[in-house]
Amino acid sequence: MPALSPAPLHMIDLIRKKRDGSALDAREIGFLVAGAATGSIPPEQLAAWLMAAWLRGLSVEETRALTVAMRDSGEKFSPARLGKVAVDKHSTGGVGDKTSFLVAPLAAACGLVVPMISGRALGHTGGTLDKLEAIPGFRTALTLTEFEAVLGKCGASIVSQTPALVPADRALYALRDRTGTVESPGLICASILSKKLAAGLDALVLDVKTGSGAFLRKREDAEYLAALMVATAEAAGTRTVALMTDMGQPLGRMAGNWVELIESVELLRGERPAGSEDVRELSLRLAGWMVHLAGKAASAEAGHIQAEAALVDGSGLRVFLAMVEAQGGDVRVFDNLSGFHKPGATRVVEAWESGWVAEMDTTALGWAVQRLGAGREKAGEPVDPHAGIEFHARRGARVQKGQPLATLYATRAALLAEPEAILKRAVTFSATPPHAVVPLISRIFTRETAEAHLRDAIR
Ligand code: URA
Protein backbone atom coordinates (compact mmCIF):
# COMPACT_ATOMS: atom_id res chain seq x y z
CA MET A 1 0.00 0.00 0.00
CA PRO A 2 1.46 3.45 -0.87
CA ALA A 3 2.45 5.57 2.16
CA LEU A 4 -0.17 8.14 3.12
CA SER A 5 0.94 11.73 2.58
CA PRO A 6 0.90 13.76 5.80
CA ALA A 7 -2.25 15.74 6.59
CA PRO A 8 -2.15 19.36 5.36
CA LEU A 9 -1.27 21.92 8.00
CA HIS A 10 -3.35 24.98 8.93
CA MET A 11 -1.93 27.97 10.80
CA ILE A 12 -5.01 28.27 13.00
CA ASP A 13 -4.29 24.77 14.39
CA LEU A 14 -0.67 25.73 15.18
CA ILE A 15 -1.80 28.88 17.01
CA ARG A 16 -4.31 26.85 19.09
CA LYS A 17 -1.73 24.18 19.81
CA LYS A 18 0.81 26.69 21.14
CA ARG A 19 -1.87 28.69 22.96
CA ASP A 20 -2.91 25.51 24.83
CA GLY A 21 0.68 24.79 25.88
CA SER A 22 1.74 21.98 23.50
CA ALA A 23 5.00 21.91 21.56
CA LEU A 24 5.04 22.10 17.76
CA ASP A 25 7.00 19.47 15.84
CA ALA A 26 9.66 20.21 13.21
CA ARG A 27 7.20 19.88 10.28
CA GLU A 28 4.81 22.35 11.87
CA ILE A 29 7.59 24.81 12.59
CA GLY A 30 8.90 24.43 9.03
CA PHE A 31 5.41 25.27 7.72
CA LEU A 32 5.20 28.39 9.90
CA VAL A 33 8.68 29.62 8.96
CA ALA A 34 8.07 29.09 5.23
CA GLY A 35 4.81 31.04 5.59
CA ALA A 36 6.67 33.90 7.33
CA ALA A 37 9.39 33.98 4.67
CA THR A 38 7.07 33.91 1.66
CA GLY A 39 4.22 35.95 3.14
CA SER A 40 1.73 33.10 2.64
CA ILE A 41 0.71 33.25 6.33
CA PRO A 42 -0.93 36.60 7.19
CA PRO A 43 0.80 38.81 9.80
CA GLU A 44 -2.12 38.62 12.27
CA GLN A 45 -1.75 34.82 12.48
CA LEU A 46 2.03 35.03 12.85
CA ALA A 47 1.60 37.70 15.54
CA ALA A 48 -0.93 35.54 17.43
CA TRP A 49 1.46 32.58 17.32
CA LEU A 50 4.36 34.78 18.49
CA MET A 51 2.36 35.94 21.50
CA ALA A 52 1.38 32.34 22.31
CA ALA A 53 5.07 31.36 22.03
CA TRP A 54 6.09 34.30 24.23
CA LEU A 55 3.55 33.36 26.92
CA ARG A 56 4.01 29.56 26.81
CA GLY A 57 7.73 29.53 25.98
CA LEU A 58 9.43 27.33 23.41
CA SER A 59 10.96 23.97 24.33
CA VAL A 60 14.61 23.33 23.54
CA GLU A 61 13.51 21.08 20.64
CA GLU A 62 11.15 23.73 19.25
CA THR A 63 13.92 26.35 19.50
CA ARG A 64 16.26 24.05 17.54
CA ALA A 65 13.66 23.39 14.84
CA LEU A 66 12.84 27.12 14.60
CA THR A 67 16.52 28.10 14.34
CA VAL A 68 17.29 25.59 11.59
CA ALA A 69 14.12 26.37 9.61
CA MET A 70 14.82 30.11 9.82
CA ARG A 71 18.49 29.61 8.86
CA ASP A 72 17.32 27.72 5.78
CA SER A 73 14.52 30.16 4.87
CA GLY A 74 16.52 32.08 2.26
CA GLU A 75 19.88 32.45 0.56
CA LYS A 76 22.92 31.22 2.51
CA PHE A 77 26.58 32.08 2.38
CA SER A 78 29.03 29.27 1.87
CA PRO A 79 32.60 30.08 2.96
CA ALA A 80 33.79 26.55 1.98
CA ARG A 81 35.36 27.80 -1.27
CA LEU A 82 37.71 30.02 0.75
CA GLY A 83 39.44 26.90 2.07
CA LYS A 84 39.74 28.12 5.68
CA VAL A 85 37.86 27.43 8.89
CA ALA A 86 35.03 29.98 9.18
CA VAL A 87 34.45 31.53 12.61
CA ASP A 88 32.55 34.46 14.03
CA LYS A 89 31.71 36.22 17.28
CA HIS A 90 28.34 37.57 18.34
CA SER A 91 27.62 39.88 21.24
CA THR A 92 24.16 40.38 22.76
CA GLY A 93 24.80 44.12 22.61
CA GLY A 94 26.33 46.68 24.90
CA VAL A 95 27.70 50.17 25.34
CA GLY A 96 31.19 50.85 24.01
CA ASP A 97 31.41 47.26 22.75
CA LYS A 98 33.91 47.50 19.90
CA THR A 99 35.42 44.02 20.17
CA SER A 100 34.34 43.12 16.60
CA PHE A 101 36.94 45.56 15.22
CA LEU A 102 39.66 43.65 17.06
CA VAL A 103 38.52 40.02 17.04
CA ALA A 104 37.66 39.83 13.33
CA PRO A 105 41.11 40.99 12.09
CA LEU A 106 42.99 39.13 14.85
CA ALA A 107 41.23 35.81 14.07
CA ALA A 108 41.88 36.38 10.35
CA ALA A 109 45.54 37.13 11.08
CA CYS A 110 45.65 33.74 12.87
CA GLY A 111 44.65 32.00 9.60
CA LEU A 112 40.84 31.87 9.95
CA VAL A 113 38.12 33.45 7.84
CA VAL A 114 35.58 35.70 9.59
CA PRO A 115 32.35 36.33 7.63
CA MET A 116 30.69 38.75 10.05
CA ILE A 117 27.10 39.82 9.36
CA SER A 118 26.34 42.64 11.78
CA GLY A 119 23.55 44.95 12.87
CA ARG A 120 22.79 48.60 13.58
CA ALA A 121 22.20 50.52 16.82
CA LEU A 122 19.25 48.94 18.69
CA GLY A 123 17.70 50.66 21.71
CA HIS A 124 20.46 51.86 24.04
CA THR A 125 23.15 49.74 22.37
CA GLY A 126 25.44 50.84 19.54
CA GLY A 127 25.65 49.18 16.12
CA THR A 128 28.79 47.82 14.49
CA LEU A 129 27.63 48.95 11.02
CA ASP A 130 26.93 52.52 12.17
CA LYS A 131 30.41 52.69 13.68
CA LEU A 132 32.10 51.40 10.50
CA GLU A 133 30.13 53.83 8.36
CA ALA A 134 31.92 56.66 10.22
CA ILE A 135 34.82 55.80 7.88
CA PRO A 136 34.33 57.86 4.67
CA GLY A 137 33.38 55.58 1.77
CA PHE A 138 33.05 52.38 3.83
CA ARG A 139 30.33 50.13 2.32
CA THR A 140 28.50 47.67 4.56
CA ALA A 141 25.84 46.57 2.01
CA LEU A 142 27.88 44.11 -0.08
CA THR A 143 26.45 41.40 -2.33
CA LEU A 144 27.39 37.85 -1.35
CA THR A 145 29.84 37.81 -4.28
CA GLU A 146 31.54 40.99 -3.05
CA PHE A 147 31.54 39.61 0.53
CA GLU A 148 33.32 36.47 -0.68
CA ALA A 149 35.87 38.55 -2.63
CA VAL A 150 36.73 40.67 0.46
CA LEU A 151 37.01 37.52 2.60
CA GLY A 152 39.27 35.89 0.01
CA LYS A 153 41.54 38.94 -0.04
CA CYS A 154 41.58 39.94 3.64
CA GLY A 155 40.23 37.02 5.72
CA ALA A 156 37.63 39.24 7.42
CA SER A 157 34.64 41.22 6.26
CA ILE A 158 31.88 42.97 8.23
CA VAL A 159 28.64 43.54 6.32
CA SER A 160 24.91 44.06 6.74
CA GLN A 161 22.28 41.37 6.23
CA THR A 162 21.18 41.09 2.57
CA PRO A 163 17.42 41.08 1.86
CA ALA A 164 17.60 37.44 0.71
CA LEU A 165 19.37 36.17 3.83
CA VAL A 166 17.03 34.74 6.52
CA PRO A 167 13.83 36.42 5.21
CA ALA A 168 11.82 34.62 7.93
CA ASP A 169 13.65 36.59 10.63
CA ARG A 170 13.06 39.86 8.82
CA ALA A 171 9.29 39.20 8.88
CA LEU A 172 9.12 37.74 12.39
CA TYR A 173 11.46 40.32 13.98
CA ALA A 174 9.41 43.24 12.59
CA LEU A 175 6.25 41.68 14.06
CA ARG A 176 7.95 40.98 17.42
CA ASP A 177 9.07 44.59 17.59
CA ARG A 178 5.46 45.75 17.17
CA THR A 179 3.74 43.16 19.37
CA GLY A 180 5.84 43.14 22.55
CA THR A 181 7.25 39.68 21.84
CA VAL A 182 10.98 40.43 21.58
CA GLU A 183 12.09 39.26 25.06
CA SER A 184 11.59 35.51 24.69
CA PRO A 185 14.70 33.27 25.03
CA GLY A 186 13.57 30.83 22.31
CA LEU A 187 12.65 33.58 19.85
CA ILE A 188 15.86 35.58 20.56
CA CYS A 189 17.98 32.45 20.18
CA ALA A 190 16.41 31.49 16.83
CA SER A 191 16.61 35.07 15.54
CA ILE A 192 20.28 35.60 16.39
CA LEU A 193 21.53 32.14 15.48
CA SER A 194 19.60 31.79 12.22
CA LYS A 195 21.44 34.87 10.88
CA LYS A 196 24.84 33.77 12.20
CA LEU A 197 24.48 30.16 10.98
CA ALA A 198 23.31 31.28 7.52
CA ALA A 199 26.91 32.50 7.08
CA GLY A 200 28.07 28.84 7.07
CA LEU A 201 30.15 29.03 10.26
CA ASP A 202 32.28 26.18 11.57
CA ALA A 203 32.60 27.83 14.97
CA LEU A 204 30.98 30.67 16.88
CA VAL A 205 31.90 32.52 20.09
CA LEU A 206 29.03 34.23 21.88
CA ASP A 207 29.53 37.19 24.22
CA VAL A 208 26.46 37.30 26.46
CA LYS A 209 26.35 40.49 28.51
CA THR A 210 25.29 40.77 32.14
CA GLY A 211 24.95 43.82 34.40
CA SER A 212 23.29 47.22 34.17
CA GLY A 213 23.84 47.68 30.41
CA ALA A 214 22.76 44.20 29.31
CA PHE A 215 19.77 43.50 27.09
CA LEU A 216 18.55 40.81 29.56
CA ARG A 217 19.01 42.35 33.02
CA LYS A 218 18.32 39.27 35.15
CA ARG A 219 21.39 37.09 35.43
CA GLU A 220 19.42 33.83 35.32
CA ASP A 221 17.72 34.91 32.06
CA ALA A 222 21.08 35.78 30.50
CA GLU A 223 22.53 32.42 31.61
CA TYR A 224 19.55 30.50 30.22
CA LEU A 225 19.86 32.34 26.89
CA ALA A 226 23.62 31.66 26.75
CA ALA A 227 23.14 27.94 27.44
CA LEU A 228 20.24 27.71 24.97
CA MET A 229 22.26 29.37 22.19
CA VAL A 230 25.29 27.14 22.76
CA ALA A 231 23.21 23.92 22.80
CA THR A 232 21.17 25.03 19.76
CA ALA A 233 24.15 26.05 17.62
CA GLU A 234 26.03 22.87 18.57
CA ALA A 235 23.01 20.75 17.61
CA ALA A 236 22.99 22.57 14.25
CA GLY A 237 26.63 21.52 13.70
CA THR A 238 28.57 24.67 14.70
CA ARG A 239 31.10 24.44 17.53
CA THR A 240 30.05 27.13 19.99
CA VAL A 241 30.90 28.59 23.39
CA ALA A 242 29.37 31.51 25.29
CA LEU A 243 31.28 33.85 27.59
CA MET A 244 29.16 35.72 30.14
CA THR A 245 30.80 39.14 30.32
CA ASP A 246 30.36 42.27 32.40
CA MET A 247 28.33 45.18 31.04
CA GLY A 248 28.09 46.88 34.44
CA GLN A 249 30.05 49.79 32.92
CA PRO A 250 30.76 50.80 29.31
CA LEU A 251 33.44 48.66 27.68
CA GLY A 252 36.60 50.72 27.31
CA ARG A 253 36.80 54.48 27.51
CA MET A 254 34.91 55.42 24.32
CA ALA A 255 31.25 54.94 23.38
CA GLY A 256 29.83 56.26 20.11
CA ASN A 257 30.76 55.82 16.45
CA TRP A 258 34.13 57.23 15.24
CA VAL A 259 35.40 57.48 18.86
CA GLU A 260 35.10 53.68 19.15
CA LEU A 261 37.18 53.27 16.00
CA ILE A 262 39.83 55.58 17.50
CA GLU A 263 40.09 53.28 20.55
CA SER A 264 40.09 50.10 18.42
CA VAL A 265 42.83 51.31 16.09
CA GLU A 266 44.99 52.50 19.00
CA LEU A 267 44.74 48.99 20.43
CA LEU A 268 45.42 47.34 17.06
CA ARG A 269 48.56 49.52 16.84
CA GLY A 270 49.73 47.91 20.06
CA GLU A 271 49.12 50.98 22.22
CA ARG A 272 47.87 50.47 25.79
CA PRO A 273 45.79 53.57 26.62
CA ALA A 274 44.51 53.89 30.20
CA GLY A 275 40.83 52.98 30.38
CA SER A 276 40.98 50.56 27.42
CA GLU A 277 42.37 47.55 29.31
CA ASP A 278 39.03 45.69 29.39
CA VAL A 279 38.43 45.98 25.61
CA ARG A 280 41.91 44.64 24.92
CA GLU A 281 41.53 41.77 27.38
CA LEU A 282 38.02 40.78 26.27
CA SER A 283 38.94 40.95 22.58
CA LEU A 284 41.95 38.69 23.12
CA ARG A 285 39.90 36.21 25.17
CA LEU A 286 37.16 36.08 22.52
CA ALA A 287 39.70 35.75 19.70
CA GLY A 288 41.53 33.07 21.72
CA TRP A 289 38.34 30.98 21.87
CA MET A 290 37.76 31.50 18.14
CA VAL A 291 41.26 30.22 17.34
CA HIS A 292 40.80 27.27 19.71
CA LEU A 293 37.34 26.25 18.45
CA ALA A 294 38.67 26.44 14.89
CA GLY A 295 41.25 23.80 15.82
CA LYS A 296 44.28 26.10 15.48
CA ALA A 297 45.21 26.05 19.19
CA ALA A 298 45.04 23.28 21.80
CA SER A 299 43.25 25.51 24.32
CA ALA A 300 41.59 28.92 24.55
CA GLU A 301 44.66 30.11 26.47
CA ALA A 302 46.95 29.01 23.62
CA GLY A 303 44.57 30.79 21.21
CA HIS A 304 44.85 33.93 23.36
CA ILE A 305 48.65 33.82 22.99
CA GLN A 306 48.32 33.56 19.18
CA ALA A 307 45.82 36.43 19.08
CA GLU A 308 48.06 38.60 21.25
CA ALA A 309 51.03 37.88 18.97
CA ALA A 310 48.94 39.05 15.99
CA LEU A 311 48.13 42.23 17.92
CA VAL A 312 51.72 42.93 18.92
CA ASP A 313 53.29 42.21 15.51
CA GLY A 314 50.76 44.45 13.70
CA SER A 315 49.26 41.69 11.51
CA GLY A 316 45.78 42.31 13.01
CA LEU A 317 46.04 46.01 12.11
CA ARG A 318 47.12 45.11 8.55
CA VAL A 319 44.03 42.88 8.12
CA PHE A 320 41.78 45.64 9.50
CA LEU A 321 43.17 48.26 7.10
CA ALA A 322 43.00 45.86 4.15
CA MET A 323 39.34 45.13 4.98
CA VAL A 324 38.49 48.85 5.21
CA GLU A 325 40.15 49.49 1.86
CA ALA A 326 38.50 46.48 0.20
CA GLN A 327 35.09 47.74 1.36
CA GLY A 328 35.69 51.19 -0.13
CA GLY A 329 36.81 53.00 3.05
CA ASP A 330 39.37 55.80 3.04
CA VAL A 331 42.23 54.52 5.22
CA ARG A 332 43.90 57.96 5.28
CA VAL A 333 41.57 58.89 8.18
CA PHE A 334 43.58 56.54 10.38
CA ASP A 335 46.72 58.66 9.87
CA ASN A 336 45.31 61.26 12.26
CA LEU A 337 42.71 59.61 14.48
CA SER A 338 41.76 62.63 16.58
CA GLY A 339 42.21 65.07 13.67
CA PHE A 340 39.34 63.35 11.85
CA HIS A 341 37.09 63.65 14.93
CA LYS A 342 35.01 66.80 14.36
CA PRO A 343 32.03 66.87 16.72
CA GLY A 344 29.68 69.84 16.38
CA ALA A 345 29.83 70.53 20.15
CA THR A 346 31.90 69.29 23.10
CA ARG A 347 31.35 69.51 26.87
CA VAL A 348 33.55 68.25 29.70
CA VAL A 349 31.51 66.99 32.67
CA GLU A 350 33.38 67.29 35.96
CA ALA A 351 32.95 65.08 39.02
CA TRP A 352 30.34 66.72 41.23
CA GLU A 353 31.61 64.93 44.36
CA SER A 354 34.91 63.51 45.61
CA GLY A 355 35.00 59.75 46.20
CA TRP A 356 35.12 56.46 44.35
CA VAL A 357 33.06 55.81 41.21
CA ALA A 358 30.64 53.22 42.61
CA GLU A 359 27.93 52.40 40.04
CA MET A 360 27.38 53.22 36.39
CA ASP A 361 23.86 52.67 35.07
CA THR A 362 25.11 51.54 31.69
CA THR A 363 21.71 51.37 29.97
CA ALA A 364 21.20 55.05 30.87
CA LEU A 365 24.71 55.87 29.63
CA GLY A 366 23.90 54.05 26.37
CA TRP A 367 20.82 56.26 25.93
CA ALA A 368 22.99 59.33 26.61
CA VAL A 369 25.33 58.26 23.78
CA GLN A 370 22.42 57.68 21.40
CA ARG A 371 20.83 61.08 22.26
CA LEU A 372 24.09 62.93 21.60
CA GLY A 373 23.41 61.93 17.99
CA ALA A 374 25.18 58.54 17.78
CA GLY A 375 21.86 56.65 17.51
CA ARG A 376 18.57 57.17 15.73
CA GLU A 377 15.02 57.89 16.89
CA LYS A 378 13.45 56.06 13.94
CA ALA A 379 14.71 53.26 11.68
CA GLY A 380 16.51 54.57 8.62
CA GLU A 381 17.54 57.95 10.10
CA PRO A 382 21.19 58.99 9.63
CA VAL A 383 23.50 58.93 12.67
CA ASP A 384 26.27 61.38 13.57
CA PRO A 385 29.66 59.67 13.11
CA HIS A 386 31.31 62.09 15.56
CA ALA A 387 28.87 61.86 18.51
CA GLY A 388 29.78 59.89 21.63
CA ILE A 389 31.22 59.94 25.13
CA GLU A 390 34.81 59.61 26.31
CA PHE A 391 34.99 58.43 29.92
CA HIS A 392 37.95 59.71 31.95
CA ALA A 393 37.17 57.58 35.03
CA ARG A 394 35.92 54.01 35.26
CA ARG A 395 34.11 52.09 38.01
CA GLY A 396 36.29 51.87 41.12
CA ALA A 397 38.38 54.96 40.25
CA ARG A 398 39.06 57.57 42.93
CA VAL A 399 38.10 61.07 41.76
CA GLN A 400 38.26 64.58 43.21
CA LYS A 401 35.38 67.02 42.86
CA GLY A 402 35.97 69.10 39.72
CA GLN A 403 38.10 66.47 38.00
CA PRO A 404 36.98 65.65 34.39
CA LEU A 405 34.72 62.60 34.50
CA ALA A 406 33.64 62.42 30.87
CA THR A 407 33.66 64.43 27.64
CA LEU A 408 30.44 64.57 25.64
CA TYR A 409 30.62 64.93 21.85
CA ALA A 410 27.39 65.98 20.12
CA THR A 411 26.08 67.02 16.73
CA ARG A 412 25.16 70.47 18.11
CA ALA A 413 25.23 72.27 21.47
CA ALA A 414 21.46 71.92 21.98
CA LEU A 415 21.89 68.13 22.21
CA LEU A 416 24.29 68.26 25.19
CA ALA A 417 21.94 69.09 28.09
CA GLU A 418 19.83 65.91 28.21
CA PRO A 419 22.79 63.46 27.97
CA GLU A 420 24.62 65.48 30.64
CA ALA A 421 21.61 65.16 32.97
CA ILE A 422 21.38 61.41 32.20
CA LEU A 423 25.11 60.99 32.96
CA LYS A 424 24.74 62.80 36.27
CA ARG A 425 21.93 60.44 37.31
CA ALA A 426 23.69 57.35 35.97
CA VAL A 427 27.00 57.66 37.86
CA THR A 428 27.10 57.38 41.67
CA PHE A 429 30.02 57.89 44.05
CA SER A 430 30.84 56.23 47.36
CA ALA A 431 32.93 57.47 50.23
CA THR A 432 34.84 54.18 50.46
CA PRO A 433 36.46 52.01 47.76
CA PRO A 434 34.15 49.34 46.33
CA HIS A 435 34.63 45.93 48.03
CA ALA A 436 33.97 43.55 45.18
CA VAL A 437 35.89 43.56 41.93
CA VAL A 438 33.46 42.50 39.18
CA PRO A 439 35.11 39.91 36.91
CA LEU A 440 35.20 40.76 33.20
CA ILE A 441 34.25 37.15 32.32
CA SER A 442 32.09 35.49 34.96
CA ARG A 443 31.19 32.17 33.34
CA ILE A 444 31.83 30.13 30.21
CA PHE A 445 29.31 27.73 28.67
CA THR A 446 30.64 24.92 26.49
CA ARG A 447 28.39 22.28 24.90
CA GLU A 448 28.58 20.05 27.98
CA THR A 449 27.96 22.76 30.57
CA ALA A 450 25.22 24.34 28.44
CA GLU A 451 23.33 21.06 28.14
CA ALA A 452 23.66 20.42 31.88
CA HIS A 453 22.42 23.97 32.62
CA LEU A 454 19.37 23.47 30.41
CA ARG A 455 18.57 20.12 32.06
CA ASP A 456 18.74 21.76 35.51
CA ALA A 457 16.69 24.76 34.38
CA ILE A 458 13.92 22.56 32.96
CA ARG A 459 13.79 20.11 35.89
N1 URA B 1 19.01 40.62 18.10
C1 URA B 1 18.45 39.86 17.14
O1 URA B 1 18.97 39.78 16.03
N2 URA B 1 17.32 39.19 17.41
C2 URA B 1 16.71 39.24 18.61
O2 URA B 1 15.69 38.61 18.79
C3 URA B 1 17.30 40.04 19.62
C4 URA B 1 18.47 40.71 19.34
Side-chain angles (χ1 to χ4, degrees):
M1 219 170 64
L4 289 177
S5 50
L9 294 172
H10 301 282
M11 190 58 196
I12 181 71
D13 298 333
L14 307 192
I15 296 169
R16 284 204 180 103
K17 193 170 177 182
K18 195 71 242 172
R19 179 197 69 189
D20 296 342
S22 297
L24 269 56
D25 65 27
R27 188 170 84 96
E28 291 166 328
I29 288 192
F31 170 80
L32 183 154
V33 167
T38 60
S40 65
I41 297 175
E44 63 272 18
Q45 287 197 309
L46 291 171
W49 184 83
L50 286 168
M51 184 54 84
W54 192 95
L55 291 168
R56 291 289 187 177
L58 295 177
S59 70
V60 172
E61 292 71 28
E62 282 178 299
T63 304
R64 278 181 195 161
L66 185 63
T67 304
V68 170
M70 283 170 65
R71 176 196 68 189
D72 298 341
S73 66
E75 214 172 79
K76 280 188 280 182
F77 180 67
S78 171
R81 275 196 299 267
L82 297 163
K84 290 182 179 170
V85 183
V87 295
D88 196 2
K89 183 259 340 171
H90 176 81
S91 142
T92 56
V95 179
D97 185 356
K98 55 205 66 86
T99 58
S100 294
F101 306 133
L102 288 105
V103 300
L106 291 175
C110 292
L112 312 176
V113 71
V114 188
M116 192 177 273
I117 298 168
S118 288
R120 298 198 175 273
L122 180 72
H124 70 283
T125 67
T128 298
L129 301 177
D130 297 316
K131 297 170 196 177
L132 281 171
E133 285 170 359
I135 305 168
F138 192 94
R139 288 174 57 226
T140 55
L142 302 191
T143 63
L144 289 186
T145 312
E146 289 173 320
F147 188 36
E148 185 170 337
V150 177
L151 288 166
K153 191 167 175 206
C154 314
S157 180
I158 306 179
V159 297
S160 55
Q161 197 185 344
T162 71
L165 211 78
V166 198
D169 182 62
R170 198 175 288 277
L172 292 174
Y173 195 86
L175 284 173
R176 286 168 61 210
D177 207 22
R178 282 184 274 135
T179 56
T181 51
V182 169
E183 303 87 350
S184 152
L187 296 176
I188 295 176
C189 172
S191 168
I192 291 176
L193 285 184
S194 58
K195 288 174 285 200
K196 284 285 158 190
L197 302 183
L201 302 178
D202 298 298
L204 173 64
V205 176
L206 298 164
D207 176 0
V208 179
K209 305 292 187 190
T210 61
S212 62
F215 191 49
L216 290 177
R217 297 290 275 273
K218 276 181 29 210
R219 186 168 175 99
E220 70 220 58
D221 291 346
E223 284 181 349
Y224 182 78
L225 178 64
L228 185 65
M229 288 203 288
V230 171
T232 305
E234 283 276 353
T238 298
R239 290 205 65 195
T240 305
V241 294
L243 278 60
M244 309 281 309
T245 76
D246 177 45
M247 194 28 78
Q249 64 176 335
L251 191 65
R253 68 183 208 287
M254 303 287 206
N257 293 319
W258 173 252
V259 288
E260 293 199 27
L261 286 165
I262 294 182
E263 189 173 19
S264 306
V265 170
E266 285 170 350
L267 290 167
L268 283 169
R269 283 179 181 162
E271 295 168 22
R272 311 281 293 255
S276 302
E277 297 83 355
D278 55 354
V279 193
R280 186 181 192 275
E281 179 59 17
L282 183 56
S283 302
L284 291 175
R285 294 285 297 270
L286 292 165
W289 272 101
M290 289 161 86
V291 174
H292 169 53
L293 288 189
K296 299 271 182 197
S299 63
E301 292 71 32
H304 182 298
I305 293 170
Q306 283 190 36
E308 189 158 25
L311 184 72
V312 171
D313 72 12
S315 47
L317 178 64
R318 285 194 288 281
V319 172
F320 178 80
L321 294 176
M323 177 187 84
V324 169
E325 201 154 31
Q327 293 189 220
D330 184 351
V331 289
R332 288 173 306 179
V333 288
F334 299 111
D335 295 343
N336 185 357
L337 291 173
S338 49
F340 179 65
H341 186 213
K342 293 192 179 64
T346 298
R347 180 173 296 170
V348 177
V349 180
E350 295 168 348
W352 50 96
E353 278 176 37
S354 294
W356 279 265
V357 177
E359 298 291 337
M360 293 178 120
D361 177 344
T362 309
T363 293
L365 293 172
W367 282 117
V369 174
Q370 302 307 306
R371 301 228 166 109
L372 284 162
R376 45 178 76 74
E377 297 269 330
K378 286 193 238 94
E381 277 179 356
V383 298
D384 178 357
H386 302 287
I389 302 185
E390 178 168 2
F391 295 93
H392 305 299
R394 325 259 356 257
R395 200 177 45 198
R398 187 170 192 177
V399 293
Q400 296 299 327
K401 187 175 174 185
Q403 178 182 328
L405 192 66
T407 303
L408 310 183
Y409 303 111
T411 314
R412 52 186 192 280
L415 292 185
L416 290 165
E418 190 195 357
E420 181 177 2
I422 296 175
L423 178 94
K424 287 187 166 165
R425 284 194 301 272
V427 179
T428 57
F429 299 95
S430 64
T432 51
H435 300 298
V437 176
V438 183
L440 184 56
I441 298 170
S442 53
R443 190 166 183 179
I444 297 174
F445 284 103
T446 60
R447 178 160 61 88
E448 292 73 23
T449 55
E451 283 171 358
H453 188 83
L454 292 180
R455 277 196 299 275
D456 289 347
I458 291 158
R459 214 178 280 142

